[in-house]
Amino acid sequence: MSANRYYSLNDYCKEVFGEKVYRLSLSGGMTCPNRDGTLSYGGCAFCSAGGSGDFAADAFLPISEQFIQARQKIAAKTHCQKFIAYFQSFTNTYAPVDVLRQLYSEAMAPEEIVALSIGTRSDCLPPETLELLSDLNQEKPIWIELGLQSIHAKTLSAMNTHTTVAQFDAAVSKLHALGISVIAHVILGFPGETKEMMKDTVRHVAALPVSGIKLQLLHVLRGTALAEQYQLHPFPLMELDEYSDFVIDCLELLPPDMVVHRLTGDGPRSLLLAPSWSTDKKRILNTIHRRLKERNTRQGEHFYG
C-alpha cells in the first residue's frame, strides 16, 4: 500500500513500468450504439456531445499525428518518456475488426507506448474483437475500461444507458478468461441513489475479477439530458467534504490490490454546469488524502473477499 493509503495508478505504473506514466487521449473516430440509432439516438443522459472524450486529440488526424499532438499538450507539464495510449471518447470497439486492428496497432507502435487502454461498452465486445484484443495483449498490455456506472436498473434506465449489469458481468468474465485487464467505471451521485445504493455498486465491482476502478463524481454537463433535468428539477449534488468522505467509504470496500485509476474525474470547465468545486482537482485530492489520515483508514479496510 502506498503512502496515499490506496493503490493508485501512479503507484502501479511505477511498480510495473519503473516510472510515472501519462495517458495520451486519442480518438478512434467511432460513435456509439446508444447514439446511432442501434439502441437509441440520445446517448447516455450524462454524456457530452464529445462522448466523454472532451480532452482527446483531433479525431480527423491519423493516430500517429494524434500521438504527436497529445504529447505536445503535456510536454509543458512533464518530461515523462512512457505513455498509455488511451481511446476514451464514445465506444472504441464499435467498428469492424479490421478497422480496430489497424487503429490499435498504430496506437501501440511507438516504443514509448507501454499499454493500450480502450474505453467501451460491455455489449460491444463480439468474439472476433475479443480474439483481436487477446492477440494484441501478447504484445503490450491491453486495458479495457468498461462503463458500469451503477448496478441499479432504475438508474441505468433513467440515464438512458441501454446497458445491464448482466452484460457487464459477462464481459468481465470473458475478458478475465483471456487475461485482459478490466477497469470498471462507476459514477457516484446519480439522482435518486442513496449512499448505500452507491456502496452496493462498489461492492459488486469488488467481488468481480476486475483489476482497476474509476470512481467518478457525477458531473452535470451543459448540452446533456442530465443538464436539462437538473435545470428543470434540481437534484442534490454532494459537496466537497461529503464527497471526499464518501469516496473513502468506497475505498474501504475495495480489494487492497485493485488499482484506483480515478477518484474524482475531470469535467471541461466550458461545459460544467455543476458542481463547480469539481474543477479544483488538486484541492479534491488533497482533501481526500487528508481525510484518509484523519480517519486512519485505507483501501481494503472493510473488504471481505
Side-chain angles (χ1 to χ4, degrees), residues 17 47 212 218 231 273:
F17 304 119
C47 192
L218 180 70
Q231 289 172 314
L273 185 63

Side-chain angles (χ1 to χ4, degrees), residues 17 28-29 43 47 51 54-55 67-68 71 81 91 96 150 168 180 184 192 204 222 233 236 238 271 273 291 294:
F17 304 119
C47 192
D54 301 288
F55 300 107
F67 175 77
I68 295 170
R71 280 202 64 173
Q81 296 301 310
T91 302
S150 171
F168 180 87
I180 297 172
H204 186 89
R222 290 182 174 85
H233 305 286
M238 284 186 270
L271 296 179
L273 185 63
R291 289 295 293 139
E294 290 171 353

Side-chain angles (χ1 to χ4, degrees), residues 171-180 182 209-210:
V172 169
S173 179
K174 292 174 185 177
L175 290 162
H176 179 69
L178 294 171
I180 297 172
V182 176
V210 167

Side-chain angles (χ1 to χ4, degrees), residues 209-236:
V210 167
S211 64
I213 189 169
K214 285 186 172 181
L215 295 170
Q216 167 79 55
L217 165 70
L218 180 70
H219 289 142
V220 181
L221 301 178
R222 290 182 174 85
T224 64
L226 187 66
E228 291 181 18
Q229 177 185 346
Y230 183 75
Q231 289 172 314
L232 287 173
H233 305 286
F235 48 84

Side-chain angles (χ1 to χ4, degrees), residues 57-125:
D58 188 342
F60 292 101
L61 294 175
I63 294 299
S64 57
E65 292 185 34
Q66 288 189 40
F67 175 77
I68 295 170
Q69 183 186 85
R71 280 202 64 173
Q72 288 173 341
K73 280 185 179 180
I74 67 169
K77 295 192 294 183
T78 177
H79 297 294
C80 178
Q81 296 301 310
K82 293 181 180 179
F83 304 93
I84 299 160
Y86 181 30
F87 289 104
Q88 178 183 18
S89 53
F90 300 105
T91 302
N92 291 285
T93 57
Y94 193 49
V97 70
D98 290 341
V99 173
L100 297 177
R101 180 179 291 107
Q102 181 177 350
L103 187 73
Y104 299 159
S105 296
E106 189 174 355
M108 293 170 67
E111 186 178 350
E112 305 98 310
I113 297 295
V114 295
L116 176 65
S117 188
I118 302 166
T120 192
R121 291 168 57 97
S122 52
D123 58 357
C124 290
L125 290 165

Side-chain angles (χ1 to χ4, degrees), residues 83-256:
F83 304 93
I84 299 160
Y86 181 30
F87 289 104
Q88 178 183 18
S89 53
F90 300 105
T91 302
N92 291 285
T93 57
Y94 193 49
V97 70
D98 290 341
V99 173
L100 297 177
R101 180 179 291 107
Q102 181 177 350
L103 187 73
Y104 299 159
S105 296
E106 189 174 355
M108 293 170 67
E111 186 178 350
E112 305 98 310
I113 297 295
V114 295
L116 176 65
S117 188
I118 302 166
T120 192
R121 291 168 57 97
S122 52
D123 58 357
C124 290
L125 290 165
E128 62 273 18
T129 299
L130 289 170
E131 183 179 356
L132 170 63
L133 295 172
S134 180
D135 290 344
L136 293 176
N137 195 44
Q138 308 308 310
E139 301 174 23
K140 290 181 180 180
I142 303 294
W143 303 347
I144 299 299
E145 182 180 326
L146 283 181
L148 172 62
Q149 322 309 0
S150 171
I151 63 165
H152 303 288
K154 187 175 180 180
T155 298
L156 297 178
S157 176
M159 292 297 107
N160 194 50
T161 68
H162 291 274
T163 57
T164 67
V165 179
Q167 288 172 333
F168 180 87
D169 290 355
V172 169
S173 179
K174 292 174 185 177
L175 290 162
H176 179 69
L178 294 171
I180 297 172
S181 295
V182 176
I183 303 163
H185 192 280
V186 171
I187 295 178
L188 304 174
F190 281 122
E193 286 203 358
T194 65
K195 287 179 179 171
E196 198 57 36
M197 290 171 70
M198 297 176 220
K199 286 183 185 179
D200 285 341
T201 296
V202 174
R203 290 188 188 100
H204 186 89
V205 172
L208 294 174
V210 167
S211 64
I213 189 169
K214 285 186 172 181
L215 295 170
Q216 167 79 55
L217 165 70
L218 180 70
H219 289 142
V220 181
L221 301 178
R222 290 182 174 85
T224 64
L226 187 66
E228 291 181 18
Q229 177 185 346
Y230 183 75
Q231 289 172 314
L232 287 173
H233 305 286
F235 48 84
L237 295 168
M238 284 186 270
E239 296 296 333
L240 172 59
D241 287 341
E242 181 186 12
Y243 181 77
S244 299
D245 265 319
F246 184 65
V247 162
I248 294 170
D249 294 342
C250 294
L251 289 174
E252 291 177 330
L253 300 173
L254 297 174

